[in-house]
Amino acid sequence: MSAPLWTSADMALVTGGAATADFNVIGSVSIDTRTLKPGDLFVALTDQRDGHDFVEAAFAAGASGALVSRKVGDGPQIVVDDVLKALEQMGIEARSRCAAHRTAVTGSAGKTSVKEMLAQIYRAFGPAHWNVKSFNNHWGVPLTLTRMPEETTRAVFEIGMSTPGEIAPRSHMVRPHTGIVTCIAGAHLEGLGSLSAVAHEKADIFAGLEAGGTFILPADDEFFEYLAGRARRFCPTGNLESFGHAANATARIVGYETDGQESCVQLDVVGKPVLVKLNAVGEHWALNAAAAVLAASQSGLAVTDCAEALSGYTPPPGRGTSERLALPGGGHITLIDDAYNANPASMRASLAALTRRPEGRRLVALGEMLEIGATSDEEHASLAAPVVETGAAGVFLVGDKMTHLADSLPPQLQQIWAPNWEELWNQLEKTLQDGDVLLIKGSNASGMGRLADRLRQWSEPALGKMDSGAESAAEVG
């Protein structure tokens, strides 16, 4: 029988709290009674709702104990002054007692994909640990650390932000051996004001880098030198590595081919040629693969082993996955669900990837991009050329900000605008026909993920399937 993840005595010691009774956490750590499993520790966080209101439900679901700031009911509990602070303390202790190689990932786009790729590689070579979904915010990072078993050999942590000053403390919490910035793009400009400010904040991923660690940067990014300078200031003994198309990139993209369903990425990693096959389409996936293989090789794995373990990778729901859906009246469409999130860079990448898909009438459904800042109107309007280049036969737009794209599209291109996805549905349903390829993308709050789910429910074989477009409040940029 494996050792418990936590004991009440350990938790009381680490947090300075008081145990109302002895108990062991034989499962994991949960903040949601809907997904809690017997043996889990329930953490009563106060966020959008007060977790203390769900303590009794957690015990009814089989929780082994609860972490609280006030005692609720009769189940075994650790009572602390501040639940979030106690969770952070437990996360730091979990990191300290585990010898795992830790990788941290951030960036304006691609960070969840690179994290998932690394998780796939790490799982192939022993006990691995990673963020669930995109639990990368102020409670998602300590929660992920707290869940990490002591026997973990490799772990990867996605770290995000929504306002300045959020990445550095999470980096100090994780203390990564390897840190990655995937790219710098126009995300969260509303809170940060400029791309330079975005680069400054993203570089904070290296604030907690272990001495002698590795910082991995996008070789083709205009902020490469700035990021490198910030990284060296944080960790003067660190090693600089890079990925991309540049001739001097450590992990260089040599070639990319796709049949519209799968992709083959040829890489040269420090002179070692490797081939990675992905169940994904779009040249941005080559960048993600290069970053992941390079980062994994820093954990003591051979480059060839990393590439082999990554081959066959399939993106998680909402990240550009391709699905064949039956139409109720007969025939099929191909749904490209890339509705997890959106910013100008990821929008362009997704639209470019659509041109690589198999032949068929192409349709584009786009939700507005949020938190873009003062240039939001221009950024939405500038998507007109990438949309036209897809050869789309029709464009469906959602949200006030998408009116700027609508005004910039050629008048002969069929387009339909609606204030929300619900009001778009009837028009989209009437338009779809056998053989169509439909791309859906937008920021979380635009509801495009729910539009994708509505399509699945409408499609006869998908009836009864669980929603996959709902997003966690723990995801930030």
Side-chain angles (χ1 to χ4, degrees), residues 128-471:
H129 190 66
W130 61 96
N131 309 66
V132 173
K133 297 182 181 178
S134 290
F135 281 10
N136 64 15
N137 69 352
H138 63 289
W139 56 257
V141 173
L143 176 65
T144 302
L145 277 167
T146 303
R147 289 171 165 175
M148 184 166 63
E150 191 171 352
E151 64 270 20
T152 302
T153 57
R154 293 177 177 85
V156 54
F157 300 87
E158 179 182 338
I159 299 180
M161 50 76 61
S162 54
T163 57
E166 295 183 3
I167 290 181
R170 295 167 201 169
S171 174
H172 283 295
M173 198 175 298
V174 170
R175 297 290 298 173
H177 300 93
T178 301
I180 309 168
V181 175
T182 58
C183 70
I184 302 300
H188 297 298
L189 290 178
E190 194 169 277
L192 293 169
S194 68
L195 283 177
S196 297
V198 173
H200 184 88
E201 177 68 18
K202 296 297 183 180
D204 280 356
I205 192 75
F206 308 116
L209 194 71
E210 293 280 11
T214 299
F215 26 88
I216 296 177
L217 302 176
D220 310 307
D221 199 287
E222 65 175 304
F223 289 96
F224 176 84
E225 292 298 338
Y226 178 82
L227 293 168
R230 288 266 291 158
R232 290 190 182 100
R233 283 192 288 276
F234 281 127
C235 185
T237 60
N239 306 300
L240 173 62
E241 307 290 354
S242 61
F243 66 95
H245 297 278
N248 61 346
T250 312
R252 182 167 58 91
I253 299 168
V254 177
Y256 172 82
E257 296 179 352
T258 182
D259 61 4
Q261 296 293 335
E262 299 176 339
S263 297
C264 290
V265 182
Q266 294 176 300
L267 301 175
D268 182 300
V269 185
V270 198
K272 190 76 173 179
V274 292
L275 180 68
V276 179
K277 295 183 179 181
L278 308 172
N279 295 320
V281 175
E283 295 194 42
H284 58 293
W285 286 106
L287 289 167
N288 294 339
V293 170
L294 176 59
S297 71
Q298 303 300 306
S299 72
L301 299 173
V303 170
T304 52
D305 290 340
C306 296
E308 183 177 351
L310 181 56
S311 286
Y313 172 82
T314 299
R319 293 291 186 178
T321 48
S322 174
E323 304 169 52
R324 191 166 184 258
L325 301 182
L327 295 173
H332 294 81
I333 66 166
T334 299
L335 168 64
I336 311 301
D337 181 1
D338 201 5
Y340 202 87
N341 214 335
N343 59 46
S346 66
M347 275 284 197
R348 287 181 172 81
S350 189
L351 290 166
L354 181 60
T355 65
R356 299 276 196 164
R357 292 288 177 178
E359 291 184 5
R361 191 179 68 149
R362 292 170 181 157
L363 302 173
V364 176
L366 304 178
E368 59 187 350
M369 301 178 291
L370 304 177
E371 300 182 13
I372 304 300
T375 62
S376 177
D377 295 354
E378 292 84 351
E379 291 287 5
H380 282 83
S382 70
L383 294 177
V387 167
V388 171
E389 288 168 6
T390 67
V395 181
F396 299 82
L397 305 174
V398 173
D400 291 340
K401 298 179 186 301
M402 274 297 170
T403 58
H404 302 287
L405 172 56
D407 292 340
S408 301
L409 289 170
Q412 67 271 21
L413 179 56
Q414 179 185 352
Q415 59 171 280
I416 295 172
W417 175 89
N420 54 65
W421 74 268
E422 293 98 332
E423 295 185 46
L424 189 74
W425 168 248
N426 286 338
Q427 293 294 331
L428 179 61
E429 177 188 1
K430 294 175 183 177
T431 302
L432 290 172
Q433 62 187 41
D434 185 30
D436 284 351
V437 180
L438 171 66
L439 168 67
I440 296 183
K441 188 167 182 64
S443 288
N444 291 338
S446 70
M448 300 306 281
R450 292 189 287 277
L451 179 62
D453 284 331
R454 181 68 185 87
L455 271 169
R456 294 185 184 96
Q457 294 162 5
W458 181 61
S459 171
E460 289 178 339
L463 288 175
K465 287 188 177 180
M466 293 178 62
D467 284 1
S468 62
E471 299 302 326

Side-chain angles (χ1 to χ4, degrees), residues 11 15-18 67-70 78-84 86 89:
M11 287 186 282
T15 64
L67 182 67
V68 299
S69 60
R70 63 179 186 275
I78 303 292
V79 184
V80 297
D81 292 334
D82 185 311
V83 174
L84 178 58
Q89 292 167 326

